[in-house]
Amino acid sequence: MLKKTVDHPYFLWLLMALPTAPMIMALLSGAEGPDGMPATEFLLHPTGEFSARFLIIAMMLTPLRMLFPSSGFLRWMMKRRRYFGVAAFFYAAFHTLLYIVDMGSLRAMLAEFTALGIWTGWLAMVIFVPLAMTSTAGFVRRMGSAWKTLQRAVYAAAVATLLHWIFVHNNLGPALVHFVPLALLESYRIWRKVRRSHQPI
């Protein structure tokens, strides 16, 4: 019974959605953050952070599976990798919605759009949209090999997300703590692929 519950897609979706519960409560109650900061502003960071975390998890699974091919847990996670990517999109959409409400007007958003920390965030969001829209099994079947080609755009989204995080907060440390493990694992994956391509047949 427990295995059946854990294996059900709704179980994982529920786990990934749990962080939104206190966020939504804060918005509905009109709670204020530090220095009287409105909820739409102080929730910008956690929503963006969760989006980045789920993106990183989705991207780390393939190289981790290469490192630990016999891991049953990683096998279970790999089967659900697309779920993490979609969760990253939904948290990014939540983050974007909060930003729009907090800014209050199109003029205010356009005034800061050219800042590196801002346009990279919009770029990541634009890339997320087609990736999330084509994440269903039906799209995977219909698109065939083109689906994998499209999904490679996730690397551009990851770089844009990293730059957005660093330059919005002017703080390198927390962003690197999240992204350096991913960079190391992706470097290992590339090294292994290159090594295999040079092995004699």
Side-chain angles (χ1 to χ4, degrees):
M1 179 66 180
L2 178 61
K3 185 180 184 303
K4 189 175 180 180
T5 300
V6 171
D7 284 342
H8 199 286
Y10 289 156
F11 174 78
L12 184 57
W13 284 118
L14 177 62
L15 285 182
M16 293 189 293
L18 281 177
T20 65
M23 297 178 189
I24 292 171
M25 289 296 294
L27 288 169
L28 293 177
S29 65
E32 293 184 347
D35 301 320
M37 190 185 297
T40 51
E41 185 176 351
F42 78 77
L43 289 176
L44 280 170
H45 183 65
T47 51
E49 211 170 75
F50 273 106
S51 176
R53 286 170 181 165
F54 284 123
L55 173 66
I56 289 167
I57 290 171
M59 295 180 70
M60 288 175 72
L61 288 175
T62 296
L64 281 173
R65 188 84 170 87
M66 290 175 160
L67 276 168
F68 308 103
S70 59
S71 170
F73 173 70
L74 288 175
R75 193 179 305 117
W76 185 90
M77 292 281 282
M78 279 292 291
K79 290 179 180 178
R80 294 154 180 83
R81 183 173 55 176
R82 277 180 283 157
Y83 298 172
F84 293 103
V86 173
F89 164 74
F90 277 115
Y91 275 96
F94 193 4
H95 178 73
T96 304
L97 178 61
L98 289 173
Y99 171 75
I100 292 171
V101 173
D102 185 61
M103 292 301 290
S105 70
L106 179 61
R107 178 179 293 181
M109 288 189 289
L110 290 175
E112 66 173 23
F113 180 79
T114 55
L116 180 60
I118 300 301
W119 69 259
T120 49
W122 283 108
L123 175 61
M125 187 64 208
V126 167
I127 296 171
F128 274 143
V129 171
L131 297 182
M133 288 179 62
T134 58
S135 64
T136 64
F139 265 106
V140 175
R141 286 193 301 269
R142 285 196 294 272
M143 293 181 68
S145 60
W147 184 83
K148 285 190 175 181
T149 301
L150 175 63
Q151 292 298 309
R152 291 192 186 103
V154 74
Y155 295 103
V159 172
T161 300
L162 174 60
L163 293 173
H164 173 65
W165 190 339
I166 291 172
F167 287 96
V168 161
H169 297 287
N170 294 315
N171 193 345
L172 193 63
L176 291 184
V177 166
H178 282 77
F179 279 90
V180 164
L182 173 63
L184 292 174
L185 284 168
E186 286 294 337
S187 297
Y188 165 75
R189 184 182 67 82
I190 293 168
W191 170 80
R192 183 166 166 173
K193 186 175 182 181
V194 170
R195 186 185 177 195
R196 281 186 172 181
S197 68
H198 285 84
Q199 286 179 345
I201 299 175

